Amino acid sequence: MERESQFIGQSAAFQDSVERASLAASLDRPVLVIGERGTGKELIAERLHRLSTRWDKPYVIMNCAAMPETLIESELFGHEAGAFTGATRTRAGRFEEADGGTLFLDELATLSMGAQERLLRAVEYGEVTRVGSSRPIRVDVRIVAATNEHLPALVDDNRFRADLLDRLSFEVITLPPLRAREGDIEVLAAYFGTRMAAVLGWDEWPGFGPRALAAMEGHDWPGNVRELRNVIERAVYRWADPEKPVDALSFDPFASPWQPAVRKTAAKADAAAPTSAESAPALTAPPSGTVSDLRAAVDAYEKQILSDTMARCRFNQKIAAEALGLSYDQIRHALKKHGLN
């Protein structure tokens, strides 16, 4: 329960990715890990190292997107004193730090073409040259790289070197998004919920209510497991009654009737201004045909509008009221009238 790097999931797609990582770990070859944000690329990279013969050697992580382009080569390969302004002393790069172990390059696609060229030589020949030096240094490093980009498409656009891609793609492990991991959402939600309940000192975990479970399954999860963890932990700590199942989720922490208005320039505001049809909530057409009970038909249509709008507004009554042009008291009365509370 205390570990942060656990693999939780039972779907075939997820288990297949983990198994492929376990199989590739023992081979001293480069591996590419592909996946959307929040799918667990760094966990797979760590698994590749821990299950390899290099498990007791350095495991060095470098986020290529976090470095300015002017410093990436210095970070990767090191530099000599005086190589550039501010280089007051010699510094070993990440390749030298990872000698004998594994170097994990996250956000690989953000590397400049110049850095890619030098990376190719390091992978191909096992040699790096510090910035400001002409003497190559031998290194023994296994490369594991990750990205959320489709690298062959970047090659076609001349944004990634084809020869580097060939060298790094001995094995490519593509992680499935959470929406494709059948049955895993509820398993992961229970795991994160139980952990958060323990942090809050709850005596036991009450589980989730039917509305929360339905909302989980209906959400697209663009942020995948990372987003799921945030949603679940936020829902648990906001829940007022630890004795009852958690039955309210907030997918957007920024959603608020008092959120600051988005400021736009006049030109952008005119271009982005929605038409009345676009700004109005999308409604299902009323039932056609003969109506024998007008009041019942109107009530049924009103209930349908309320239900659809609440679902679209993620069950936030204030936002739904604004979408329908009602006051907060009016929408609460309407929801109560139709039994939609």
Side-chain angles (χ1 to χ4, degrees):
M1 294 291 290
E2 297 300 322
R3 293 194 57 192
E4 294 294 324
S5 57
Q6 295 202 50
F7 286 92
I8 310 295
Q10 60 188 15
S11 66
F14 175 71
Q15 294 288 351
D16 179 64
S17 298
V18 176
E19 182 61 28
R20 288 185 65 183
S22 302
L23 186 64
S26 61
L27 298 177
D28 201 16
R29 296 289 188 276
V31 177
L32 282 176
V33 184
I34 313 295
E36 297 179 7
R37 60 187 174 94
T39 50
K41 297 185 290 294
E42 188 167 339
L43 293 181
I44 290 292
E46 184 178 353
R47 185 178 186 85
L48 287 164
H49 174 71
R50 300 301 176 196
L51 297 182
S52 73
T53 56
R54 300 170 179 259
W55 64 270
D56 57 342
K57 298 298 190 296
Y59 175 59
V60 178
I61 301 173
M62 177 174 170
N63 186 337
C64 302
M67 296 290 172
E69 185 174 339
T70 54
L71 295 180
I72 284 180
E73 293 189 35
S74 173
E75 285 292 325
L76 277 174
F77 311 114
H79 61 256
E80 297 290 343
F84 50 85
T85 303
T88 57
R89 58 186 179 86
T90 298
R91 183 183 183 281
R94 302 297 177 91
F95 267 93
E96 290 180 71
E97 293 175 3
D99 191 23
T102 303
L103 175 59
F104 174 47
L105 299 176
D106 200 7
E107 302 290 350
L108 176 72
T110 62
L111 282 179
S112 66
M113 296 300 283
Q116 290 178 33
E117 183 176 358
R118 296 193 64 181
L119 176 61
L120 173 64
R121 181 171 183 83
V123 175
E124 188 76 39
Y125 301 108
E127 292 182 348
V128 297
T129 303
R130 293 175 179 169
V131 177
S133 173
S134 58
R135 180 175 61 87
I137 301 171
R138 296 287 301 177
V139 290
D140 174 23
V141 175
R142 183 192 191 182
I143 299 292
V144 177
T147 182
N148 57 9
E149 298 273 6
H150 184 54
L151 293 178
L154 298 187
V155 170
D156 293 339
D157 292 342
N158 295 317
R159 294 164 53 197
F160 199 85
R161 293 182 62 101
D163 44 5
L164 177 59
L165 180 60
D166 292 339
R167 190 66 183 85
L168 293 177
S169 57
F170 168 79
E171 176 63 290
V172 179
I173 300 172
T174 303
L175 301 181
L178 184 57
R179 58 187 174 275
R181 293 171 53 175
E182 187 175 357
D184 282 356
I185 292 176
E186 189 171 345
V187 172
L188 284 161
Y191 172 73
F192 293 134
T194 303
R195 290 206 327 174
M196 192 62 183
V199 170
L200 296 173
W202 290 9
D203 293 333
E204 59 182 24
W205 168 237
F208 292 101
R211 188 173 66 170
L213 290 173
M216 287 181 211
E217 294 298 333
H219 189 55
D220 196 43
W221 299 112
N224 294 288
V225 179
R226 187 182 295 119
E227 180 189 4
L228 174 65
R229 175 178 176 174
N230 286 337
V231 169
I232 297 304
E233 291 184 346
R234 183 164 58 244
V236 174
Y237 106 84
R238 287 181 178 179
W239 192 244
D241 190 350
E243 302 297 324
K244 295 182 179 180
V246 178
D247 207 21
L249 301 180
S250 172
F251 293 101
D252 183 3
F254 296 96
S256 170
W258 305 284
Q259 65 186 19
V262 178
R263 295 185 179 181
K264 300 178 182 178
T265 62
K268 289 184 177 180
D270 291 341
T275 64
S276 58
E278 292 173 329
S279 59
L283 302 178
T284 304
S288 59
T290 303
V291 175
S292 59
D293 188 334
L294 178 61
R295 185 178 298 278
V298 171
D299 284 347
Y301 187 44
E302 181 179 296
K303 181 176 181 179
Q304 178 186 335
I305 293 173
L306 285 167
S307 179
D308 291 347
T309 304
M310 286 294 291
R312 187 169 61 254
C313 296
R314 295 175 178 171
F315 305 98
N316 187 307
Q317 294 181 6
K318 290 184 179 295
I319 297 177
E322 290 180 356
L324 293 174
L326 301 175
S327 69
Y328 183 63
D329 288 337
Q330 286 173 331
I331 197 169
R332 285 179 60 84
H333 175 76
L335 291 172
K336 182 178 181 180
K337 170 186 173 183
H338 293 290
L340 295 175
N341 283 333

